[in-house]
């Protein structure tokens, strides 16, 4: 974090992870909280330009992380933002239009395990949600925060997990992309829906290994 304004040092760490350890570092957009949104095509294109110039391969006098160049963006758009859904596809397509052939940049998305995701989709239309109207390189499906009966039950090995896993795998194979299993990384942390109710999903390392192994065996062409 660079809450103290020292974002340049974070940029140095990003570059070190990329160059020393060969890691891909993506900029996450959105999140479960906060008053964000995009309300027009013009605004979507402007945001894409800002992201490209300030965080990816463009140029700007600002660049909060200094010379660090992120490897792409992940769309984690949550909350009641369905009306804005098409504009995130516009943003992604604008960003991808800047990607050169000389370096790999990536666009991913982090939908809820419910299929389709309320904001990201897919919705089956070429002018609709991000996952229908834009190309993504993979999806980080959040198989958590949906464990209770009032939710969808698609937490890892929840009562609806196998069904949702199959739906995401089928979609990924059809779109010639990949899906990953998203899971909380720590115990003792409350993963809660901002509207209350849906939460949970932390599993032991052994359980997670079992889930990953099963997905790899069952969906070898689309599990990434």
């Amino acid at each position: 974090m660079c809450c103290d304004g020292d974002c340049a040092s974070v940029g140095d760490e990003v570059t070190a992870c990329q160059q020393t350890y060969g890691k891909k570092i993506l900029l996450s957009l959105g999140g479960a909280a906060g008053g964000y949104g995009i309300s027009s095509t013009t605004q979507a294109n402007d945001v894409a330009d800002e992201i490209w110039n300030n965080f990816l391969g463009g140029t700007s006098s600002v660049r909060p992380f200094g010379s660090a160049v992120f490897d792409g963006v992940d769309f984690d758009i949550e909350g009641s933002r369905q009306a804005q859904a098409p504009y995130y596809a516009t943003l992604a397509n604008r960003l991808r239009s800047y990607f050169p052939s000389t370096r790999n940049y990536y666009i991913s998305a982090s939908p809820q395990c419910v299929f389709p995701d309320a904001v990201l989709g897919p919705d089956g239309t070429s002018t609709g949600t991000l996952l229908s109207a834009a190309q993504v390189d993979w999806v980080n499906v959040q198989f958590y925060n949906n464990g209770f009966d009032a939710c969808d039950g698609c937490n890892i090995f929840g009562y609806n997990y196998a069904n949702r896993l199959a739906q995401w795998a089928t979609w990924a194979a059809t779109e010639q992309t990949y899906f990953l299993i998203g899971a909380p990384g720590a115990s003792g942390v409350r993963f809660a829906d901002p509207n209350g109710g849906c939460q949970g999903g932390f599993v032991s390392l052994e359980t997670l290994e079992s889930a990953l192994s099963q997905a790899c065996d069952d969906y070898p062409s689309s599990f990434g």
Side-chain angles (χ1 to χ4, degrees):
M1 296 293 290
C2 56
C3 297
D4 60 357
D6 187 20
C7 294
S9 66
V10 176
D12 293 340
E13 294 172 353
V14 168
T15 301
C17 284
Q18 293 167 321
Q19 296 181 354
T20 305
Y21 302 103
K23 302 300 183 182
K24 302 299 182 184
I25 310 298
L26 274 63
L27 185 71
S28 181
L29 306 180
Y36 62 88
I38 296 177
S39 57
S40 70
T41 297
T42 298
Q43 189 177 52
N45 288 332
D46 288 345
V47 171
D49 293 349
E50 289 291 315
I51 293 171
W52 175 254
N53 289 325
N54 287 299
F55 302 101
L56 302 182
T59 57
S60 168
S61 61
V62 180
R63 293 200 71 92
F65 296 102
S67 61
V69 178
F70 285 77
D71 295 294
V73 297
D74 176 69
F75 286 79
D76 178 24
I77 311 302
E78 303 184 35
S80 301
R81 298 178 173 90
Q82 289 90 338
Q84 301 171 353
Y87 302 121
Y88 290 104
T90 301
L91 193 164
N93 288 327
R94 175 80 160 202
L95 267 181
R96 192 171 288 279
S97 73
Y98 290 129
F99 292 178
S101 60
T102 53
R103 171 174 174 163
N104 290 329
Y105 288 94
Y106 304 95
I107 292 175
S108 65
S110 295
Q112 303 294 308
C113 51
V114 180
F115 187 91
D117 182 271
V119 180
L120 296 174
D123 68 349
T125 68
S126 61
T127 58
T129 59
L130 176 75
L131 297 182
S132 289
Q135 176 190 351
V136 296
D137 297 290
W138 67 84
V139 290
N140 311 292
V141 184
Q142 298 183 45
F143 285 101
Y144 54 91
N145 282 352
N146 278 284
F148 298 158
D149 288 342
C151 308
D152 191 70
C154 54
N155 284 3
I156 293 175
F157 290 140
Y159 64 85
N160 204 23
Y161 168 74
N163 176 48
R164 295 307 189 194
L165 189 74
Q167 288 177 306
W168 283 110
T170 299
W171 172 83
T174 301
E175 295 297 318
Q176 298 183 319
T177 189
Y178 301 93
F179 78 97
L180 306 180
I181 292 177
S187 61
V189 179
R190 179 181 175 86
F191 295 90
D193 187 297
N195 297 316
C198 302
Q199 64 183 52
F202 178 80
V203 296
S204 67
L205 177 60
E206 292 76 13
T207 299
L208 180 59
E209 288 176 339
S210 177
L212 297 177
S213 177
Q214 184 181 74
C216 188
D217 289 343
D218 293 346
Y219 307 107
S221 66
S222 57
F223 180 64

